[in-house]
Structures are given as structure tokens and as C-alpha cells.
Amino acid sequence: MTSFDFRKSLLLLFGVLFLNSYSQASRELKSTSDAKITESVYFDISIGGKPVGKITIGLFGEVVPKTVENFKALSLGDRGFGFKNSGFHRVIKNFMIQGGDFTRGDGTGGKSIYGRTFADENFQLQHTGPGMLSMANSGKNTNGSQFFITTVATPHLNGKHVVFGKVTEGMEVVRMIESTSTDSSDHPQKAVVINDCGVATSKSSGTSWDRKVYGREM
């Protein structure tokens, strides 16, 4: 084999490896629109003590089951702690709204059902547009209870934060939160509170909302 043939074979090999790698990455980065919603939760929201509506969020339990189970349990409060009566502590217009810190309320607290934090499950889903639900973190493998809902596409967060759901109803409430006045640290000047939360169940008459603990209505 001549040196030219050797270089040609080498380039061909690298090309095949690159295509295989690209194909694998494409398979792993699933389209959010194709992800199946396995169950839903709801948040009843108030701003400044005034009820403003309900947000319903569909969860992608087949893609990120561990992350979904954590969020669902915190919405139910069936471990003795969770989102009820906690707030959205950080709001940035044309970016996202962040909540889930039910221990300190300022973005420095919270915990998961698995312990203080748990590892990134995967990054198969992307932050493709408004209404995507994703885990907030302070770096790799530091998921707890804090989450955010996007108000625009945020592709720069792909591969860094775990997407595990999307808003299916009540995006107008998300917009109300996004539009609330904030201070220089992005904290809402009027308290944005999750007054109640639980599992949303679809019935023939429409969508109903049940608070359940270990499968029993509360």
C-alpha cells in the first residue's frame, strides 16, 4: 500500500467514525414534540396574594423517569415535603421563571426525594421553545428540587440542564409571572406562590385535578 492509499484509508475511517458518532448523537437528542407525556401535574398560582390561574405541566416519564418521579412526588408532597406554598424566586423576562426552593426560598436550597441532589439523568430532550420544564442546577449532577420553565427557546442550555416536561395548559399564567416586576437580583417584588399542586388526571368530562397521597385522594 502506498502512502497515498494509507492516508486515503485513514480519512475514510475517520469519516465513518464521525458519521456514526453524529448518527448516535442525533438519536439521543430526541425531538421534544415526539416525547410522550406520561402524566401531568398542576400548580395553582397566586401573585401578591391574588390567585391568577393554573399551570398544567406534562411530564416525559419514558425519557427521564427518575427526574419525573422526583418532580411528581414533590408536587404531591407525599414524602412530607414539596412545592406547595413555595414560590418562584427568580424571574427573567424573555428567558425563564425559576422555582422549587421550598427550604430557603432564595435559590440556595431545596432537595430531591433521593437526597440533597441527584445526577443528571440524560440530555436527550432540548430547550426548543417557550414552556419547556427543565431542572435548575449549580453544575454537573447537582439536581435537587429547583426547576425552571422557559419563556423562549434556550438552546445554549442543551446538554447542561435536564428537560423533562412542558406546559400544556396555562401558558398565559407563565407569561403573567414572566411580566411581574423584579428587583435587581431578579426576585419578584410581589410573591409568586404555588398555593396548591398535585397530579392532573384527564377524564371524559375534561381535565380534573386531584391531590393524592400514596394513591389516595387527600
Side-chain angles (χ1 to χ4, degrees):
M1 179 183 291
T2 67
S3 60
F4 175 78
D5 290 336
F6 178 74
R7 286 196 299 270
K8 186 176 179 181
S9 299
L10 215 61
L11 287 171
L12 181 61
L13 175 62
F14 282 131
V16 170
L17 290 174
F18 173 80
L19 287 173
N20 285 342
S21 176
Y22 180 82
S23 177
Q24 178 65 24
S26 298
R27 286 195 297 271
E28 289 179 354
L29 288 172
K30 296 177 183 294
S31 169
T32 304
S33 61
D34 294 336
K36 179 182 177 181
I37 292 175
T38 54
E39 49 201 328
S40 298
V41 300
Y42 72 91
F43 291 161
D44 284 335
I45 303 294
S46 68
I47 300 177
K50 178 183 177 181
V52 295
K54 188 185 302 289
I55 301 171
T56 305
I57 304 169
L59 305 176
F60 303 132
E62 290 184 352
V63 182
V64 274
K66 185 173 183 177
T67 308
V68 164
E69 181 59 29
N70 180 62
F71 192 79
K72 177 184 173 184
L74 295 175
S75 297
L76 288 171
D78 60 6
R79 310 298 175 96
F81 54 89
F83 297 138
K84 186 175 181 179
N85 296 322
S86 69
F88 283 83
H89 61 271
R90 187 176 180 223
V91 173
I92 303 178
K93 193 170 179 62
N94 296 318
F95 183 25
M96 60 90 206
I97 62 174
Q98 183 174 336
D101 182 356
F102 52 81
T103 62
R104 295 183 179 177
D106 60 2
T108 63
K111 61 181 179 179
S112 79
I113 63 173
Y114 310 114
R116 177 70 179 86
T117 62
F118 65 101
D120 299 319
E121 189 166 5
N122 62 59
F123 299 112
Q124 292 186 23
L125 300 172
Q126 298 178 301
H127 303 79
T128 53
M132 303 311 303
L133 176 68
S134 187
M135 291 300 293
N137 61 45
S138 56
K140 185 177 180 181
N141 297 323
T142 58
N143 302 287
S145 58
Q146 292 189 48
F147 62 89
F148 63 93
I149 298 172
T150 62
T151 59
V152 295
T154 56
H156 61 288
L157 300 181
N158 294 339
K160 299 176 182 177
H161 296 266
V162 177
V163 175
F164 63 101
K166 67 178 179 181
V167 173
T168 56
E169 296 178 47
M171 194 63 198
E172 70 279 4
V173 179
V174 173
R175 294 297 185 194
M176 290 177 70
I177 299 171
E178 181 191 23
S179 298
T180 195
S181 298
T182 57
D183 63 20
S184 59
S185 298
D186 301 318
H187 301 311
Q189 293 182 328
K190 293 182 178 179
V192 180
V193 177
I194 301 171
N195 291 331
D196 197 13
C197 48
V199 172
T201 57
S202 296
K203 297 181 179 180
S204 58
S205 58
T207 303
S208 65
W209 295 272
D210 297 321
R211 281 197 59 79
K212 298 180 180 179
V213 177
Y214 299 114
R216 297 172 294 172
E217 290 195 3
M218 190 172 178

